[in-house]
PDB file of all heavy atoms in Angstrom:
ATOM      1  N   GLY A  56     -87.685 147.008  42.923  1.00 92.00           N
ATOM      2  CA  GLY A  56     -88.625 147.089  41.909  1.00 92.00           C
ATOM      3  C   GLY A  56     -89.076 148.574  41.636  1.00 92.00           C
ATOM      4  O   GLY A  56     -89.245 148.998  40.620  1.00 92.00           O
ATOM      5  N   ARG A  57     -89.276 149.256  42.822  1.00 91.00           N
ATOM      6  CA  ARG A  57     -89.631 150.666  42.781  1.00 91.00           C
ATOM      7  C   ARG A  57     -88.602 151.524  42.118  1.00 91.00           C
ATOM      8  O   ARG A  57     -88.812 152.388  41.340  1.00 91.00           O
ATOM      9  CB  ARG A  57     -90.011 151.106  44.189  1.00 91.00           C
ATOM     10  CG  ARG A  57     -91.320 150.561  44.783  1.00 91.00           C
ATOM     11  CD  ARG A  57     -91.505 151.004  46.243  1.00 91.00           C
ATOM     12  NE  ARG A  57     -92.738 150.489  46.817  1.00 91.00           N
ATOM     13  CZ  ARG A  57     -93.922 151.103  46.586  1.00 91.00           C
ATOM     14  NH1 ARG A  57     -94.036 152.119  45.780  1.00 91.00           N
ATOM     15  NH2 ARG A  57     -94.997 150.572  47.085  1.00 91.00           N
ATOM     16  N   ILE A  58     -87.354 151.150  42.522  1.00 93.00           N
ATOM     17  CA  ILE A  58     -86.279 152.009  41.857  1.00 93.00           C
ATOM     18  C   ILE A  58     -86.217 151.704  40.296  1.00 93.00           C
ATOM     19  O   ILE A  58     -86.150 152.567  39.511  1.00 93.00           O
ATOM     20  CB  ILE A  58     -84.881 151.613  42.532  1.00 93.00           C
ATOM     21  CG1 ILE A  58     -84.864 152.202  44.007  1.00 93.00           C
ATOM     22  CG2 ILE A  58     -83.733 152.194  41.726  1.00 93.00           C
ATOM     23  CD1 ILE A  58     -83.737 151.714  44.900  1.00 93.00           C
ATOM     24  N   GLU A  59     -86.332 150.339  39.980  1.00 93.00           N
ATOM     25  CA  GLU A  59     -86.216 150.115  38.557  1.00 93.00           C
ATOM     26  C   GLU A  59     -87.339 150.774  37.707  1.00 93.00           C
ATOM     27  O   GLU A  59     -87.163 151.296  36.706  1.00 93.00           O
ATOM     28  CB  GLU A  59     -86.392 148.547  38.339  1.00 93.00           C
ATOM     29  CG  GLU A  59     -85.133 147.780  38.730  1.00 93.00           C
ATOM     30  CD  GLU A  59     -85.304 146.279  38.738  1.00 93.00           C
ATOM     31  OE1 GLU A  59     -86.375 145.850  38.254  1.00 93.00           O
ATOM     32  OE2 GLU A  59     -84.507 145.538  39.331  1.00 93.00           O
ATOM     33  N   VAL A  60     -88.624 150.716  38.241  1.00 92.00           N
ATOM     34  CA  VAL A  60     -89.661 151.504  37.514  1.00 92.00           C
ATOM     35  C   VAL A  60     -89.480 152.886  37.561  1.00 92.00           C
ATOM     36  O   VAL A  60     -89.827 153.614  36.519  1.00 92.00           O
ATOM     37  CB  VAL A  60     -91.085 151.103  37.985  1.00 92.00           C
ATOM     38  CG1 VAL A  60     -91.510 151.756  39.376  1.00 92.00           C
ATOM     39  CG2 VAL A  60     -92.190 151.275  36.988  1.00 92.00           C
ATOM     40  N   SER A  61     -88.972 153.494  38.539  1.00 93.00           N
ATOM     41  CA  SER A  61     -88.674 155.018  38.584  1.00 93.00           C
ATOM     42  C   SER A  61     -87.607 155.317  37.584  1.00 93.00           C
ATOM     43  O   SER A  61     -87.738 156.406  36.912  1.00 93.00           O
ATOM     44  CB  SER A  61     -88.232 155.390  39.988  1.00 93.00           C
ATOM     45  OG  SER A  61     -89.314 155.273  40.943  1.00 93.00           O
ATOM     46  N   LEU A  62     -86.573 154.441  37.338  1.00 94.00           N
ATOM     47  CA  LEU A  62     -85.511 154.826  36.350  1.00 94.00           C
ATOM     48  C   LEU A  62     -86.071 154.742  34.992  1.00 94.00           C
ATOM     49  O   LEU A  62     -85.842 155.544  34.161  1.00 94.00           O
ATOM     50  CB  LEU A  62     -84.352 153.863  36.598  1.00 94.00           C
ATOM     51  CG  LEU A  62     -83.554 154.028  37.939  1.00 94.00           C
ATOM     52  CD1 LEU A  62     -82.482 153.083  38.008  1.00 94.00           C
ATOM     53  CD2 LEU A  62     -83.143 155.484  38.170  1.00 94.00           C
ATOM     54  N   LYS A  63     -87.053 153.755  34.774  1.00 93.00           N
ATOM     55  CA  LYS A  63     -87.718 153.623  33.427  1.00 93.00           C
ATOM     56  C   LYS A  63     -88.529 154.823  33.268  1.00 93.00           C
ATOM     57  O   LYS A  63     -88.628 155.418  32.140  1.00 93.00           O
ATOM     58  CB  LYS A  63     -88.592 152.381  33.407  1.00 93.00           C
ATOM     59  CG  LYS A  63     -87.655 151.180  33.263  1.00 93.00           C
ATOM     60  CD  LYS A  63     -88.577 149.854  33.252  1.00 93.00           C
ATOM     61  CE  LYS A  63     -87.633 148.664  33.135  1.00 93.00           C
ATOM     62  NZ  LYS A  63     -88.511 147.312  33.022  1.00 93.00           N
ATOM     63  N   ARG A  64     -89.240 155.225  34.276  1.00 93.00           N
ATOM     64  CA  ARG A  64     -90.068 156.516  34.223  1.00 93.00           C
ATOM     65  C   ARG A  64     -89.256 157.697  33.794  1.00 93.00           C
ATOM     66  O   ARG A  64     -89.666 158.482  33.026  1.00 93.00           O
ATOM     67  CB  ARG A  64     -90.749 156.702  35.520  1.00 93.00           C
ATOM     68  CG  ARG A  64     -91.852 157.715  35.581  1.00 93.00           C
ATOM     69  CD  ARG A  64     -92.421 157.879  37.016  1.00 93.00           C
ATOM     70  NE  ARG A  64     -93.310 156.724  37.310  1.00 93.00           N
ATOM     71  CZ  ARG A  64     -93.093 155.820  38.261  1.00 93.00           C
ATOM     72  NH1 ARG A  64     -92.003 156.020  39.101  1.00 93.00           N
ATOM     73  NH2 ARG A  64     -93.815 154.758  38.487  1.00 93.00           N
ATOM     74  N   SER A  65     -88.110 157.836  34.468  1.00 96.00           N
ATOM     75  CA  SER A  65     -87.206 158.935  34.168  1.00 96.00           C
ATOM     76  C   SER A  65     -86.732 158.845  32.684  1.00 96.00           C
ATOM     77  O   SER A  65     -86.697 159.948  32.106  1.00 96.00           O
ATOM     78  CB  SER A  65     -85.897 158.837  35.130  1.00 96.00           C
ATOM     79  OG  SER A  65     -85.166 159.866  34.940  1.00 96.00           O
ATOM     80  N   LYS A  66     -86.410 157.675  32.174  1.00 96.00           N
ATOM     81  CA  LYS A  66     -85.971 157.608  30.885  1.00 96.00           C
ATOM     82  C   LYS A  66     -86.974 158.038  29.846  1.00 96.00           C
ATOM     83  O   LYS A  66     -86.810 158.633  28.848  1.00 96.00           O
ATOM     84  CB  LYS A  66     -85.423 156.077  30.573  1.00 96.00           C
ATOM     85  CG  LYS A  66     -84.152 155.802  31.202  1.00 96.00           C
ATOM     86  CD  LYS A  66     -83.716 154.315  31.015  1.00 96.00           C
ATOM     87  CE  LYS A  66     -82.503 153.985  31.871  1.00 96.00           C
ATOM     88  NZ  LYS A  66     -82.163 152.614  31.779  1.00 96.00           N
ATOM     89  N   PHE A  67     -88.254 157.610  30.232  1.00 95.00           N
ATOM     90  CA  PHE A  67     -89.322 157.984  29.356  1.00 95.00           C
ATOM     91  C   PHE A  67     -89.586 159.474  29.327  1.00 95.00           C
ATOM     92  O   PHE A  67     -89.821 160.108  28.400  1.00 95.00           O
ATOM     93  CB  PHE A  67     -90.624 157.113  29.719  1.00 95.00           C
ATOM     94  CG  PHE A  67     -91.793 157.346  28.800  1.00 95.00           C
ATOM     95  CD1 PHE A  67     -91.608 157.197  27.407  1.00 95.00           C
ATOM     96  CD2 PHE A  67     -93.023 157.758  29.314  1.00 95.00           C
ATOM     97  CE1 PHE A  67     -92.630 157.298  26.570  1.00 95.00           C
ATOM     98  CE2 PHE A  67     -94.139 157.891  28.413  1.00 95.00           C
ATOM     99  CZ  PHE A  67     -93.929 157.739  27.037  1.00 95.00           C
ATOM    100  N   ALA A  68     -89.528 160.054  30.550  1.00 96.00           N
ATOM    101  CA  ALA A  68     -89.695 161.533  30.625  1.00 96.00           C
ATOM    102  C   ALA A  68     -88.575 162.203  29.900  1.00 96.00           C
ATOM    103  O   ALA A  68     -88.799 163.266  29.277  1.00 96.00           O
ATOM    104  CB  ALA A  68     -89.654 161.908  32.234  1.00 96.00           C
ATOM    105  N   ASN A  69     -87.353 161.720  30.007  1.00 96.00           N
ATOM    106  CA  ASN A  69     -86.306 162.271  29.159  1.00 96.00           C
ATOM    107  C   ASN A  69     -86.499 162.332  27.676  1.00 96.00           C
ATOM    108  O   ASN A  69     -86.173 163.223  27.080  1.00 96.00           O
ATOM    109  CB  ASN A  69     -84.958 161.588  29.715  1.00 96.00           C
ATOM    110  CG  ASN A  69     -83.650 162.316  29.234  1.00 96.00           C
ATOM    111  OD1 ASN A  69     -83.693 163.542  28.973  1.00 96.00           O
ATOM    112  ND2 ASN A  69     -82.631 161.674  29.099  1.00 96.00           N
ATOM    113  N   PHE A  70     -86.956 161.056  27.238  1.00 96.00           N
ATOM    114  CA  PHE A  70     -87.310 160.928  25.828  1.00 96.00           C
ATOM    115  C   PHE A  70     -88.293 162.073  25.398  1.00 96.00           C
ATOM    116  O   PHE A  70     -88.058 162.662  24.265  1.00 96.00           O
ATOM    117  CB  PHE A  70     -87.785 159.571  25.647  1.00 96.00           C
ATOM    118  CG  PHE A  70     -88.422 159.305  24.262  1.00 96.00           C
ATOM    119  CD1 PHE A  70     -87.611 159.104  23.123  1.00 96.00           C
ATOM    120  CD2 PHE A  70     -89.763 159.314  24.097  1.00 96.00           C
ATOM    121  CE1 PHE A  70     -88.182 158.841  21.949  1.00 96.00           C
ATOM    122  CE2 PHE A  70     -90.370 159.121  22.901  1.00 96.00           C
ATOM    123  CZ  PHE A  70     -89.504 158.800  21.807  1.00 96.00           C
ATOM    124  N   LEU A  71     -89.284 162.280  26.166  1.00 96.00           N
ATOM    125  CA  LEU A  71     -90.337 163.157  25.858  1.00 96.00           C
ATOM    126  C   LEU A  71     -89.810 164.586  25.940  1.00 96.00           C
ATOM    127  O   LEU A  71     -90.071 165.448  25.056  1.00 96.00           O
ATOM    128  CB  LEU A  71     -91.616 162.923  26.734  1.00 96.00           C
ATOM    129  CG  LEU A  71     -92.385 161.704  26.540  1.00 96.00           C
ATOM    130  CD1 LEU A  71     -93.351 161.556  27.714  1.00 96.00           C
ATOM    131  CD2 LEU A  71     -92.909 161.692  25.175  1.00 96.00           C
ATOM    132  N   SER A  72     -89.094 164.900  26.902  1.00 96.00           N
ATOM    133  CA  SER A  72     -88.606 166.241  27.123  1.00 96.00           C
ATOM    134  C   SER A  72     -87.568 166.667  26.076  1.00 96.00           C
ATOM    135  O   SER A  72     -87.513 167.821  25.612  1.00 96.00           O
ATOM    136  CB  SER A  72     -87.947 166.546  28.511  1.00 96.00           C
ATOM    137  OG  SER A  72     -86.680 165.934  28.658  1.00 96.00           O
ATOM    138  N   LYS A  73     -86.813 165.719  25.543  1.00 94.00           N
ATOM    139  CA  LYS A  73     -85.896 166.005  24.407  1.00 94.00           C
ATOM    140  C   LYS A  73     -86.539 166.395  23.136  1.00 94.00           C
ATOM    141  O   LYS A  73     -85.982 166.889  22.198  1.00 94.00           O
ATOM    142  CB  LYS A  73     -84.942 164.787  24.191  1.00 94.00           C
ATOM    143  CG  LYS A  73     -83.861 164.747  25.272  1.00 94.00           C
ATOM    144  CD  LYS A  73     -82.867 163.592  24.964  1.00 94.00           C
ATOM    145  CE  LYS A  73     -81.872 163.575  25.953  1.00 94.00           C
ATOM    146  NZ  LYS A  73     -80.905 162.404  25.820  1.00 94.00           N
ATOM    147  N   GLN A  74     -87.976 166.122  23.158  1.00 94.00           N
ATOM    148  CA  GLN A  74     -88.733 166.500  22.009  1.00 94.00           C
ATOM    149  C   GLN A  74     -89.484 167.776  22.207  1.00 94.00           C
ATOM    150  O   GLN A  74     -90.405 168.114  21.527  1.00 94.00           O
ATOM    151  CB  GLN A  74     -89.688 165.325  21.692  1.00 94.00           C
ATOM    152  CG  GLN A  74     -88.975 164.065  21.257  1.00 94.00           C
ATOM    153  CD  GLN A  74     -89.917 162.907  20.865  1.00 94.00           C
ATOM    154  OE1 GLN A  74     -90.870 163.073  20.140  1.00 94.00           O
ATOM    155  NE2 GLN A  74     -89.809 161.814  21.664  1.00 94.00           N
ATOM    156  N   GLY A  75     -89.084 168.502  23.289  1.00 93.00           N
ATOM    157  CA  GLY A  75     -89.585 169.773  23.612  1.00 93.00           C
ATOM    158  C   GLY A  75     -90.906 169.750  24.510  1.00 93.00           C
ATOM    159  O   GLY A  75     -91.499 170.789  24.733  1.00 93.00           O
ATOM    160  N   MET A  76     -91.202 168.521  25.086  1.00 95.00           N
ATOM    161  CA  MET A  76     -92.381 168.431  25.901  1.00 95.00           C
ATOM    162  C   MET A  76     -92.151 168.941  27.258  1.00 95.00           C
ATOM    163  O   MET A  76     -90.971 168.778  27.723  1.00 95.00           O
ATOM    164  CB  MET A  76     -92.802 167.027  26.012  1.00 95.00           C
ATOM    165  CG  MET A  76     -93.262 166.346  24.708  1.00 95.00           C
ATOM    166  SD  MET A  76     -94.776 166.897  24.046  1.00 95.00           S
ATOM    167  CE  MET A  76     -95.975 166.410  25.224  1.00 95.00           C
ATOM    168  N   ILE A  77     -93.096 169.478  27.940  1.00 96.00           N
ATOM    169  CA  ILE A  77     -93.087 169.747  29.358  1.00 96.00           C
ATOM    170  C   ILE A  77     -93.741 168.507  29.960  1.00 96.00           C
ATOM    171  O   ILE A  77     -94.944 168.252  29.702  1.00 96.00           O
ATOM    172  CB  ILE A  77     -93.971 171.036  29.722  1.00 96.00           C
ATOM    173  CG1 ILE A  77     -93.248 172.236  29.016  1.00 96.00           C
ATOM    174  CG2 ILE A  77     -93.883 171.267  31.272  1.00 96.00           C
ATOM    175  CD1 ILE A  77     -94.117 173.474  29.067  1.00 96.00           C
ATOM    176  N   VAL A  78     -92.921 167.748  30.747  1.00 97.00           N
ATOM    177  CA  VAL A  78     -93.388 166.468  31.282  1.00 97.00           C
ATOM    178  C   VAL A  78     -93.575 166.602  32.812  1.00 97.00           C
ATOM    179  O   VAL A  78     -92.667 167.001  33.532  1.00 97.00           O
ATOM    180  CB  VAL A  78     -92.387 165.438  31.062  1.00 97.00           C
ATOM    181  CG1 VAL A  78     -92.925 164.054  31.454  1.00 97.00           C
ATOM    182  CG2 VAL A  78     -92.116 165.328  29.468  1.00 97.00           C
TER     183      VAL A  78
END
Side-chain angles (χ1 to χ4, degrees):
R57 288 177 180 276
I58 290 170
E59 287 171 13
V60 77
S61 291
L62 297 179
K63 287 179 182 182
R64 186 180 292 120
S65 182
K66 289 175 185 177
F67 187 52
N69 193 21
F70 169 78
L71 293 170
S72 73
K73 284 183 177 177
Q74 296 178 57
M76 299 288 296
I77 299 167
V78 184

